[in-house]
């Protein structure tokens, strides 16, 4: 069982979460979505280019794709505004007798943002190259023989879970709610299986969900765990305390649908959907395991210290109510957005 002496850490964690939410939820919520650039080299020596960048309303994030040689300096052939994104397409761009091999692809302005860009290059020889460009590394040179050596979707899956504070907060609640390593292992496994199922079904369009409503229900799942943490402290036993894996599986289905929503915003290559989906899901699992390992190590380290019982109880109460407060705010905000979309 996780010792109550561990929970002074939770007061500090709650304070950090509060600061993060206040500073980032409103300002950066849209900008952190990755951009997407897909370049297809045709057999006739021309290019088709798709550029998908985050936007807030009709205002797009100030980043622009460049391909060496000024290949897409002209106005796009088509511009579309989708929810939270702007789409631009260049069709039949003339390579003027050259090739894509060795040309630099750069995202201007990326270094001034906190977002990434997934780049997919399809060459006419059948090779494919995937890269994730970041503010620190906003450019790369196309290598016709690189293939798909860089598992871009794997990296995006890791980044998505490690920057998804709501999903991490839910996993944190599961960790605190579980008693002992065996129960924790069953709980995390149930959560993994559940969100893998709905991630696949939703991403493959076998199941359709309302993304705004799903996000609201993800917030509700965190609120539910906060209530159960308070009940556990008060000694009230129930199915959640005895078998938290059941709750993890049920709410994991919702979290998987939310992961699929994020993946839909990034985009999947039509010719290689299964592999990309698999890599993204593996990335999510790796990120989740990293988080569980780090938090478990911190809790174990703190268990070596001695804290007054009253301090531990106060820390547990403060953290539970802090988690519940954040979740309530997210739930009401997201529910309002969902209802607005329906109306």
């Amino acid at each position: 069982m996780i010792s109550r002496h561990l929970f002074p850490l939770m007061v500090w964690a709650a304070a950090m979460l509060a600061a993060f939410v206040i500073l980032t939820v409103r300002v950066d919520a849209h900008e952190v979505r990755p951009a997407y650039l897909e370049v297809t080299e045709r057999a006739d020596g021309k290019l088709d280019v798709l550029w998908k960048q985050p936007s807030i309303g009709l205002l797009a994030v100030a980043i622009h794709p460049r391909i060496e040689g000024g290949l897409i300096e002209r106005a796009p052939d088509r511009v579309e505004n989708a929810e939270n994104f702007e789409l631009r397409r260049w069709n039949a761009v003339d390579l003027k007798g050259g090739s894509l091999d060795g040309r630099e692809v750069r995202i201007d302005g990326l270094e001034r943002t906190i977002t990434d860009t997934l780049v997919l290059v399809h060459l006419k020889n059948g090779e494919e190259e995937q890269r994730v460009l970041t503010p620190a590394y906003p450019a790369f040179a196309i290598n016709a023989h690189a293939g798909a050596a860089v598992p871009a979707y794997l990296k995006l899956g890791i980044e998505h879970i490690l920057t998804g504070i709501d999903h991490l907060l839910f996993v944190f609640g599961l960790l605190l709610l579980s008693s002992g390593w065996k129960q924790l292992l069953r709980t995390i496994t149930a959560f993994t299986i559940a969100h893998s199922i709905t991630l696949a079904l939703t991403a493959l369009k076998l199941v359709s969900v309302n993304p705004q409503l799903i996000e609201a229900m993800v917030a509700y799942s965190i609120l539910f765990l906060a209530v159960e943490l308070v009940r556990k402290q008060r000694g009230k036993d129930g199915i959640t305390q005895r078998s938290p894996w059941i709750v993890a599986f049920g709410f994991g289905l919702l979290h998987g649908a939310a992961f699929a929503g994020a993946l839909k915003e990034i985009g999947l290559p039509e010719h290689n959907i299964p592999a990309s989906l698999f890599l993204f899901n593996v990335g999510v699992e790796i990120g989740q395991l990293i988080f569980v390992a780090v938090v478990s190590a911190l809790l174990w380290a703190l268990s070596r210290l001695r804290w007054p019982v009253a301090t531990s109880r106060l820390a547990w109460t403060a953290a539970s109510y802090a988690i519940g407060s954040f979740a309530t705010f997210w739930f009401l905000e997201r529910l309002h957005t969902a209802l607005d979309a329906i109306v």
Side-chain angles (χ1 to χ4, degrees):
M1 180 179 294
I2 298 176
S3 171
R4 288 186 178 180
H5 297 311
L6 303 179
F7 299 109
L9 170 66
M10 296 172 64
V11 173
W12 174 85
M16 293 301 99
L17 286 171
F20 181 89
V21 170
I22 292 172
L23 293 175
T24 67
V25 165
R26 290 291 186 180
V27 176
D28 299 325
H30 294 276
E31 191 178 7
V32 295
R33 291 193 306 274
Y36 177 80
L37 176 66
E38 185 169 6
V39 182
T40 303
E41 185 180 26
R42 301 178 355 186
D44 61 2
K46 296 185 178 181
L47 299 178
D48 291 327
V49 180
L50 168 64
W51 171 240
K52 182 179 180 182
Q53 69 183 89
S55 65
I56 303 174
L58 297 178
L59 180 63
V61 176
I63 53 178
H64 306 281
R66 310 287 183 197
I67 302 177
E68 186 178 338
L71 297 183
I72 53 174
E73 295 305 310
R74 64 175 173 82
D77 297 295
R78 187 175 177 183
V79 178
E80 303 173 56
N81 288 308
E83 184 179 4
N84 299 327
F85 278 95
E86 180 182 90
L87 301 176
R88 298 188 179 191
R89 299 178 188 272
W90 290 264
N91 300 321
V93 177
D94 193 357
L95 273 170
K96 302 176 182 178
S99 70
L100 277 178
D101 191 22
R103 292 182 187 262
E104 182 186 71
V105 175
R106 172 178 293 276
I107 308 299
D108 282 353
L110 191 64
E111 67 278 4
R112 296 189 296 273
T113 71
I114 59 171
T115 192
D116 296 337
T117 298
L118 172 64
V119 180
L120 267 67
V121 180
H122 310 292
L123 299 169
K124 63 182 179 182
N125 63 1
E127 296 285 345
E128 178 183 280
E129 186 170 7
Q130 299 182 5
R131 293 293 185 105
V132 176
L133 300 183
T134 66
Y137 300 97
F140 78 102
I142 296 173
N143 183 348
H145 306 289
V150 180
Y153 281 92
L154 179 69
K155 182 178 179 182
L156 285 172
I158 295 173
E159 290 181 347
H160 178 71
I161 186 67
L162 292 181
T163 57
I165 188 172
D166 49 356
H167 299 294
L168 292 182
L169 202 56
F170 182 80
V171 174
F172 184 53
L174 291 177
L175 194 154
L176 296 177
L177 203 56
S178 300
S179 300
W181 288 105
K182 290 183 179 180
Q183 190 180 73
L184 176 61
L185 180 60
R186 287 195 296 268
T187 301
I188 296 299
T189 300
F191 181 64
T192 295
I193 293 173
H195 74 62
S196 297
I197 291 172
T198 46
L199 170 59
L201 291 176
T202 308
L204 294 174
K205 299 180 181 180
L206 298 176
V207 173
S208 179
V209 298
N210 182 316
Q212 290 88 4
L213 187 57
I214 286 295
E215 290 293 339
M217 293 307 297
V218 165
Y220 173 78
S221 71
I222 304 169
L223 176 59
F224 180 88
L225 283 189
V227 173
E228 291 303 305
L229 287 173
V230 173
R231 284 171 52 82
K232 181 176 180 178
Q233 182 198 22
R234 295 176 179 177
K236 295 183 178 179
D237 193 18
I239 190 171
T240 303
Q241 285 76 34
R242 293 193 301 269
S243 303
W245 64 269
I246 296 177
V247 173
F249 185 86
F251 283 125
L253 296 173
L254 296 174
H255 284 251
F259 292 150
L263 187 57
K264 180 181 178 182
E265 291 183 340
I266 297 169
L268 282 169
E270 293 184 0
H271 67 290
N272 200 17
I273 290 177
S276 301
L277 177 60
F278 174 76
L279 286 174
F280 184 83
N281 192 47
V282 171
V284 169
E285 301 314 319
I286 292 174
Q288 180 178 288
L289 290 175
I290 291 172
F291 176 75
V292 171
V294 170
V295 173
S296 297
L298 287 173
L299 293 177
W300 179 85
L302 286 174
S303 70
R304 318 310 295 173
L305 303 176
R306 294 184 178 181
W307 301 92
V309 174
T311 301
S312 297
R313 291 179 61 84
L314 178 62
W316 180 290
T317 301
S320 299
Y321 278 94
I323 292 172
S325 297
F326 297 146
T328 300
F329 169 76
W330 289 329
F331 174 66
L332 294 176
E333 181 185 49
R334 294 173 181 182
L335 183 63
H336 180 266
T337 301
L339 293 176
D340 277 351
I342 294 173
V343 174

